[in-house]
Amino acid sequence: MTNDTHIPAPVSDDVKTLSAELAEPLAAELGLSPKEYEGVVATQGRLPSLTELYVYSLMWSEHCSYKHSKKQLRAFSSTGKHVLQGPGENAGVISVGDGWAVAFKMESHNHPSAIEPFQGAATGVGGIVRDIFTMGARPVAILDSLRFGTLDKPRQRYLFDGSVAGIGAYGNCLGVPTVGGEVYFDAAYEGNCLINAMAIGLMREEELTRAVGSGPGNHVVLIGSSTGRDGIGGASVLASQEFDEAAEDKRPAVQVGDPFEEKLLIEVCLELLKAGKLVALGDLGAAGLTSSASEMASRGGVGIDIDVRKIPQREDGMQPFEIMVSESQERMLAVVAPEDLDEVARRCARWGVACSPIGRITDTGRFVVRDSDLPAGLDIVADMPAEMLASSAPEYDPAMSRPSWLDELHEHPLDFVYATAAGGNSGGDDGGVGDGGVDDATDGAGAPFNAALRALLTSPNICSRAWIWRQYDHQVQNNTVVLPGADAAVLRIGDTGRGEVGTRGIAASTDCNGRYCYLDPWTGAQIALAEGMRNLACVGAEPAAITDCLNFGNPEKPEVFYCFSQAVEGLASACRHFGIPVISGNVSFYNESFGNAIYPTPTVGIVGIIEDIAKVATSSFKQAGDTIILVGETLDELGGSEYLCVTHGLVAGRPPSLDLKLEGDVQAAVREAVRAGLLESAHDCSEGGLAIALAECCVQGGIGAAVVLDDGLPQVSSLFAESQSRIVVSVADAGVEPFIDLLVAHAVPYSVIGETGGDRLVVEGALNMPLERMRALYEDTLEDLVTRR
Amino acid sequence: MGTQGCRFGVVVFPGSNCEQDVISALRHLGLEASYVWHQDTDLSGYDALVLPGGFSYGDYLRCGAVARFSPVMEEVVRFAGAGRPVIGICNGFQVLTEARLLPGALIRNRRLKFICAPVPLRVEKSVCTWLDLPEGTVLTLPINHNEGNYTCDDHTLAELVEGGQVVLRYCLPDGTRPPGGCAPNGSLDDIAGICNAAGNVFGLMPHPERAVDGISGCTDGAGFFSAVVASAREVVGR
Amino acid sequence: MRHYQIHVTAKKGIFDPAGTTAQHALENLGYDGVRGVKIGKLIELAADDSVTADEVAQMCARLLANPVIEDFDIKEA
């Protein structure tokens, strides 16, 4: 690559192709179906070479090609007033005002984390952060949506503890705050934990960069770590053990992350982009160089010609195909104009980052891979049409059938719940819980649901997550306005380094109740969006766009695919209703073990805009004497509730219903009130229902409450039903009238349910528990569960 | 207070990640501040130096162990030797101990977990020129570290205590300390920050720069930077 | 080329949180006889023959170990 003007033409005839006898079985081992293999031969117009076969198998794998989900995903709308970049790039980008733009995306790293939780989760964070700064944005926040089996199992504790440590280790070292997320524990995730990492980046609108290769003659430059055999097959293709019997120890499935290298990459890449020294930038994620190089070429309608021997290698004797499919972490691919190459090398050296020109952009439209160790003229090991490789992957229409379990679950009788719940009538006892009524005396009398409240406060799905986020640096960059543990994370935006800080902010949240999706994938997916939006409304943010991470079982099973299809349609229709674009996302299939699929888990990551960060609300009660108002309406809906699961060990019924119109009105009213400064606190009612929402407001604020519920429902439903579109707010005297006017104007149902104050949560005739007791139960549970022997 | 004549240099090592937070805190306070690259060896333009938090060189061998050999550090040692003010925050504190500008070492937190939380701290009577607050003042500042567990031998501890070199201790919200200690990371004698015998080199695990502009709901960090302006000017004036 | 194995361990009297935690964990697993666990690190160093043993010791004292909290032991493999 010394002659700047010479652009090598493809010499397809010289590629050493495999014989059909070798190629066919290898294709099968690499996960290509016979039909897909035929497609490879047809696309190439001849038999493939070894390297080509590997490249195709990766590019046409589910992970890279979305061949099972593509059709469904077209239901998502990705346009909207804020959208600067929709799906198809490394991350989506929205405009958030004042010339600022935000890039964000969520991605799964489930399979690696199930094998090695620390490195799996850490490299999950590393990958999603690269997707963000690739776009030209400085990473400013990480959120994580996690699912594990129940913590009574030692392996689940190991996975949970290790994943949290890995996320912390990577994000903390990068200096990107981990500001939010969620975690659920359910036996459905025992064989397949879910690690969904979301990253958010900030830039000026004009700094938006795309991974579009252009300018034949330009250099293709690899920046960052050297390339080893780590992670080969991580993108799910190399399921075979036989292709190289001795190779097992050479191919660790899980990559090891180097957050220090990534921190340097962030700095040097952003510096190079700002200086205008890069024509294009992409990261090497799943399928490594294969995917990033071919996508960069196909997006730009150009060709790319690289020499694997110019790539710094960590190990001796790596074959071209190994180099092409390696998933070694912390590597970036850049396109650099010849006149800028020296400057790029100089700046990389200053940061101590390796920078290797490995090839050129060409005008041939071909993706050519060379091995310069081979004699000239025989050095081409792969020569493929870049555009076809990236975009002509097969597309499937998997069979679907409605799972029989849905009807069974929906029709499961729940009447017994009311009977047993009403059975208890003194402190510390109610049906089904029976934790001995340890604190009959302290809890106070006339509190038949105290035991249920205790059970819920100590449910791993509800209790405080402080044990997790204390391990994450959630404040670095000094823009975290609302700390983790709130309904949504809130970040100040602006160029703090230059002392330019405005009033503008963004809010973010991740949400999905997998249990609801299991009971009804359509409604469950809609609720995931509704709850995310509601969380934003609680802090006063206007939702702008979402990213999604669709975690499902094996799509080739008709029942699984039915659930997938329902969830996508449900989510897409709710997005359309609210005018929320889906700007990025990821599908993770095959989350199954021993034939059991996880709950359908379409996780939604949402970002919203806040005009004035001085006017956000948080969930904690602020002072005694405020009026507590329940915005929205409780229905008699215990199906799929945490109460049902905790007190009766039952996952059944229908999930709560969702009225999109009401949801929008509730959010609009509360958001407007937060922005007008009318509310002292706002908190979404979700798992555990109104009782838990109230308990959380009390515990977080250190202030009690006296509440009367007269909604005409059975008490157990008033307290624990998980009806949607509800927000608990507290309002100071002066705000009550204007707030109620606002609710009336939005035609939103509401009830004034009580007043803040005292050192207990009292719900007349139902609950009576000291704050200190609730705090201890709520705060200490998670650590106790993780560290118990 | 005027700030002319006191220019802060914020040293950037590969892997530092709080340098921007420090710069923005200093500028918020109206102080002059700029970055010092770890390969720079001319510190003549600065009156006070900040070694910020982060993970210099990935903290891979030991926290601060590699950064300590950066070209700039020789000059930092000289700068400190001349009595000029140097503060090391979190990873910066670790670098200062590795460079032997401060005694002792910072090892892994007792419970082996990274801790990110606001903590109460008690200002001790010390010779430290960075802090001009009365003994017994209780401050709240965030800590964010995995290796903040201060340790040293008995002799060194006795010297620190006698020499007024213990600047900050972890405490309960009312400023007291229980007999068994209360450092969340297990620090010896609840030590959160120490200075050298001369008082101009100060290392601490908490992050004052995150408690300056009030975004975290706290401004207790402001005093850490303003107080040194006067003493820096004094050194310059000598 | 010479190959050295350098063991770095916590100095006597310096608290070793990782070792202590591992010891407790072993006790909890029912191994009653465990009387101490120290966790250190093993550094494998390859150097030209021209590098003297003294120089390797210096490397340890200056960078590879922190004598304030760590002991080191050099063995030529």
Side-chain angles (χ1 to χ4, degrees):
Chain A
M1 291 294 156
T2 46
N3 184 342
D4 271 0
T5 50
H6 173 67
I7 300 157
V11 200
S12 202
D13 292 346
D14 291 340
V15 176
K16 193 178 158 205
T17 57
L18 294 165
S19 67
E21 292 72 43
L22 276 173
E24 278 169 34
L26 180 57
E29 281 172 26
L30 295 177
L32 290 169
S33 69
K35 198 144 181 124
E36 287 166 350
Y37 170 71
E38 280 171 33
V40 171
V41 176
T43 309
Q44 286 298 101
R46 57 163 166 75
L47 286 164
S49 72
L50 182 68
T51 304
E52 286 164 354
L53 196 52
Y54 271 93
V55 166
Y56 274 97
S57 72
L58 280 174
M59 290 304 291
W60 291 5
S61 71
E62 179 58 42
H63 194 95
C64 294
S65 74
Y66 292 76
K67 58 190 170 191
H68 288 100
S69 58
K70 230 185 217 168
K71 281 198 179 145
Q72 266 66 28
L73 297 178
R74 291 194 185 108
F76 291 133
S77 162
S78 57
T79 54
K81 58 176 174 172
H82 298 293
V83 179
L84 299 176
Q85 173 66 54
E89 265 290 342
N90 285 287
V93 182
I94 54 169
S95 157
V96 295
D98 289 350
W100 292 102
V102 162
F104 66 96
K105 187 183 184 187
M106 179 159 43
E107 208 163 62
S108 62
H109 225 223
N110 307 337
H111 302 290
S113 304
I115 299 165
E116 213 300 308
F118 184 95
Q119 292 297 342
T123 52
V125 170
I128 196 66
V129 166
R130 280 195 299 284
D131 280 333
I132 297 307
F133 69 80
T134 297
M135 304 301 295
R138 175 166 288 276
V140 294
I142 297 165
L143 295 92
D144 301 280
S145 175
L146 314 176
R147 304 288 183 284
F148 302 93
T150 54
L151 289 173
D152 53 339
K153 303 269 182 8
R155 173 143 188 98
Q156 300 305 314
R157 294 201 292 272
Y158 162 75
L159 290 172
F160 173 48
D161 192 27
S163 302
V164 169
I167 290 164
Y170 207 101
N172 295 347
C173 185
L174 285 186
V176 180
T178 301
V179 295
E182 49 168 358
V183 61
Y184 288 89
F185 305 91
D186 194 295
Y189 301 101
E190 196 168 305
N192 289 84
C193 61
L194 302 186
I195 307 292
N196 294 176
M198 172 172 167
I200 304 176
L202 182 68
M203 65 186 136
R204 301 294 302 168
E205 280 183 21
E206 63 273 16
E207 289 169 345
L208 173 55
T209 307
R210 295 182 175 90
V212 178
S214 65
N218 281 340
H219 290 276
V220 176
V221 178
L222 193 59
I223 299 174
S225 275
S226 54
T227 298
R229 289 192 172 96
D230 46 336
I232 289 182
S236 87
V237 197
L238 302 190
S240 149
Q241 282 85 45
E242 296 89 37
F243 91 100
D244 179 356
E245 292 80 2
E248 202 49 50
D249 61 333
K250 287 191 285 184
R251 293 184 286 122
V254 171
Q255 313 91 318
V256 174
D258 180 355
F260 172 56
E261 180 76 19
E262 178 129 326
K263 167 70 174 161
L264 301 181
L265 279 178
I266 295 175
E267 299 305 332
V268 76
C269 289
L270 291 180
E271 183 182 305
L272 289 169
L273 286 171
K274 215 158 226 168
K277 299 294 167 194
L278 304 183
V279 175
L281 181 66
D283 83 304
L284 277 68
L289 188 54
T290 286
S291 159
S292 63
S294 57
E295 282 173 9
M296 196 172 268
S298 81
R299 284 189 194 117
V302 294
I304 201 163
D305 186 321
I306 60 175
D307 176 2
V308 292
R309 296 302 159 202
K310 299 258 167 71
I311 295 168
Q313 287 150 47
R314 214 173 276 169
E315 300 169 68
D316 293 332
M318 286 184 73
Q319 297 298 308
F321 79 86
E322 292 181 299
I323 296 167
M324 291 309 295
V325 305
S326 163
E327 292 187 0
S328 289
Q329 299 289 293
E330 290 90 23
R331 298 181 298 163
M332 305 294 288
L333 194 69
V335 176
V336 180
E339 62 272 23
D340 289 328
L341 190 59
D342 286 348
E343 177 68 5
V344 168
R346 196 186 63 75
R347 289 182 189 246
C348 284
R350 180 172 181 270
W351 282 99
V353 171
C355 158
S356 321
I358 62 168
R360 298 288 186 124
I361 295 293
T362 67
D363 59 4
T364 63
R366 313 270 315 168
F367 179 11
V368 176
V369 181
R370 290 166 194 272
D371 178 354
S372 56
D373 279 358
L374 297 174
L378 298 172
D379 59 340
I380 295 180
V381 295
D383 182 349
M384 303 155 288
E387 211 282 322
M388 295 282 282
L389 175 64
S391 63
S392 68
E395 228 176 87
Y396 294 121
D397 229 338
M400 27 179 149
S401 73
R402 188 170 188 275
S404 54
W405 71 72
L406 287 177
D407 288 335
E408 284 164 32
L409 289 165
H410 292 169
E411 284 154 22
H412 196 289
L414 298 178
D415 296 346
F416 75 97
V417 173
Y418 305 109
T420 50
N425 57 6
S426 66
D429 258 322
D430 79 313
V433 178
D435 77 346
V438 276
D439 26 31
D440 284 5
T442 54
D443 287 356
F449 290 98
N450 269 11
L453 179 63
R454 277 196 299 276
L456 283 166
L457 283 170
T458 54
S459 161
N461 289 330
I462 284 179
C463 68
S464 164
R465 271 79 180 104
W467 180 84
I468 303 173
W469 47 260
R470 272 170 62 102
Q471 297 181 54
Y472 302 150
D473 188 340
H474 47 261
Q475 285 181 307
V476 65
Q477 300 189 10
N478 206 35
N479 286 318
T480 313
V481 180
V482 174
L483 302 185
D487 288 64
V490 178
L491 295 161
R492 168 172 70 184
I493 59 178
D495 193 345
T496 51
R498 292 191 208 122
E500 291 164 16
V501 171
T503 58
R504 197 164 277 273
I506 55 169
S509 174
T510 67
D511 298 276
C512 180
N513 182 315
R515 196 182 287 154
Y516 296 169
C517 298
Y518 169 61
L519 297 173
D520 180 349
W522 202 85
T523 305
Q526 291 209 323
I527 289 177
L529 174 70
E531 186 177 348
M533 294 175 64
R534 206 182 309 136
N535 284 331
L536 296 199
C538 286
V539 298
E542 179 86 41
I546 67 163
T547 178
D548 58 27
C549 197
L550 308 173
N551 307 273
F552 289 80
N554 180 350
E556 296 157 55
K557 291 187 181 171
E559 297 186 329
V560 169
F561 201 75
Y562 172 86
C563 293
F564 174 75
S565 166
Q566 285 282 298
V568 169
E569 279 177 32
L571 182 56
S573 64
C575 284
R576 277 195 300 274
H577 174 89
F578 292 116
I580 303 285
V582 182
I583 61 160
S584 59
N586 151 253
V587 178
S588 173
F589 281 134
Y590 303 100
N591 292 288
E592 290 206 10
S593 53
F594 308 110
N596 296 318
I598 56 162
Y599 285 159
T601 312
T603 312
V604 170
I606 187 162
V607 172
I609 299 168
I610 294 179
E611 304 282 342
D612 184 357
I613 52 166
K615 292 208 175 109
V616 297
T618 56
S619 51
S620 55
F621 286 151
K622 300 299 182 299
Q623 63 263 316
D626 288 344
T627 301
I628 305 170
I629 297 174
L630 173 65
V631 182
E633 201 173 8
T634 309
L635 303 174
D636 190 3
E637 300 173 309
L638 285 171
S641 67
E642 187 68 16
Y643 173 83
L644 205 55
C645 184
V646 165
T647 61
H648 297 284
L650 188 62
V651 175
R654 287 180 186 276
S657 56
L658 179 65
D659 175 341
L660 295 177
K661 166 85 171 64
L662 173 64
E663 181 70 52
D665 292 343
V666 165
Q667 290 177 19
V670 169
R671 182 167 47 245
E672 224 171 282
V674 171
R675 291 180 166 194
L678 293 177
L679 305 183
E680 301 300 307
S681 72
H683 188 27
D684 163 45
C685 275
S686 57
E687 287 83 11
L690 179 58
I692 287 298
L694 286 167
E696 286 174 341
C697 296
C698 288
V699 167
Q700 288 168 8
I703 292 165
V707 169
V708 178
L709 299 178
D710 55 358
D711 48 21
L713 300 175
Q715 265 184 321
V716 65
S717 300
S718 305
L719 294 168
F720 304 118
E722 297 176 8
S723 294
Q724 297 298 297
S725 318
R726 293 183 303 161
I727 295 172
V728 176
V729 304
S730 64
V731 194
D733 280 348
V736 174
E737 214 183 289
F739 179 56
I740 288 178
D741 288 348
L742 193 63
L743 293 172
V744 172
H746 282 275
V748 168
Y750 69 92
S751 30
V752 176
I753 59 172
E755 192 177 304
T756 61
D759 58 0
R760 313 174 76 86
L761 170 61
V762 180
V763 177
E764 197 180 72
L767 296 172
N768 186 343
M769 200 178 289
L771 266 183
E772 192 42 44
R773 175 108 176 96
M774 290 196 295
R775 196 204 55 74
L777 295 170
Y778 184 73
E779 299 284 349
D780 299 341
T781 294
L782 205 50
E783 182 165 6
D784 288 350
L785 287 174
V786 181
T787 55
R788 99 176 133 197
R789 315 286 177 200
Chain B
M1 176 168 44
T3 62
Q4 228 177 353
C6 187
R7 284 150 303 169
F8 283 80
V10 180
V11 180
V12 184
F13 300 105
S16 295
N17 66 26
C18 297
E19 71 275 20
Q20 183 168 313
D21 301 1
V22 172
I23 291 269
S24 108
L26 290 169
R27 291 182 185 165
H28 182 87
L29 293 168
L31 301 170
E32 247 181 274
S34 53
Y35 296 114
V36 180
W37 186 240
H38 67 112
Q39 284 162 334
D40 292 350
T41 50
D42 179 8
L43 298 178
S44 60
Y46 303 100
D47 303 304
L49 291 179
V50 184
L51 275 57
F55 289 70
S56 57
Y57 293 94
D59 277 356
Y60 281 145
L61 183 61
R62 286 180 313 281
C63 304
V66 180
R68 172 246 182 287
F69 289 102
S70 282
V72 75
M73 282 307 294
E74 245 176 75
E75 294 309 308
V76 172
V77 170
R78 208 165 312 192
F79 191 94
R84 291 165 165 244
V86 178
I87 189 171
I89 301 165
C90 198
N91 194 229
F93 185 11
Q94 293 160 345
V95 174
L96 290 176
T97 58
E98 282 285 341
R100 310 286 184 264
L101 283 171
L102 291 172
L106 294 142
I107 61 173
R108 269 186 94 178
N109 295 346
R110 181 174 43 196
R111 300 177 78 177
L112 308 180
K113 295 283 185 206
F114 189 95
I115 307 172
C116 177
V119 295
L121 297 156
R122 190 190 135 89
V123 176
E124 303 292 352
K125 185 175 163 58
S126 80
V127 298
C128 182
T129 55
W130 278 88
L131 208 53
D132 185 22
L133 290 168
E135 179 187 0
T137 305
V138 179
L139 305 170
T140 300
L141 293 176
I143 54 169
N144 302 266
H145 59 248
N146 199 35
E147 282 96 356
N149 184 349
Y150 182 79
T151 189
C152 63
D153 59 38
D154 295 345
H155 173 71
T156 307
L157 179 63
E159 272 186 359
L160 286 174
V161 173
E162 280 156 29
Q165 291 176 247
V166 178
V167 185
L168 288 173
R169 281 197 173 95
Y170 301 103
C171 65
L172 299 177
D174 66 359
T176 61
R177 295 195 296 126
C182 58
N185 50 21
S187 267
L188 181 67
D189 207 24
D190 289 336
I191 286 174
I194 57 170
C195 65
N196 62 352
N200 63 312
V201 180
F202 178 27
L204 75 167
M205 289 314 296
H207 286 264
E209 81 277 13
R210 295 188 188 182
V212 168
D213 67 7
I215 190 167
S216 63
C218 174
T219 53
D220 284 355
F224 284 72
F225 302 104
S226 310
V228 82
V229 175
S231 60
R233 199 175 296 122
E234 215 172 280
V235 173
V236 174
R238 246 178 239 161
Chain C
M1 186 86 90
R2 289 174 203 270
H3 293 270
Y4 297 92
Q5 288 205 330
I6 301 158
H7 286 267
V8 180
T9 47
K11 235 182 162 76
K12 192 165 177 292
I14 293 290
F15 179 53
D16 169 17
T20 309
T21 304
Q23 184 175 346
H24 289 154
L26 290 171
E27 286 161 7
N28 285 323
L29 287 173
Y31 297 102
D32 293 333
V34 179
R35 292 291 165 262
V37 178
K38 270 178 102 175
I39 293 185
K41 55 190 154 202
L42 169 65
I43 298 168
E44 292 184 333
L45 187 107
D48 288 342
D49 292 349
S50 59
V51 174
T52 66
D54 267 4
E55 281 176 309
V56 176
Q58 265 181 40
M59 292 177 201
C60 291
R62 290 186 68 198
L63 176 69
L64 298 177
N66 178 356
V68 175
I69 45 170
E70 293 168 330
D71 288 326
F72 58 87
D73 175 55
I74 305 166
K75 281 200 180 71
E76 202 183 326

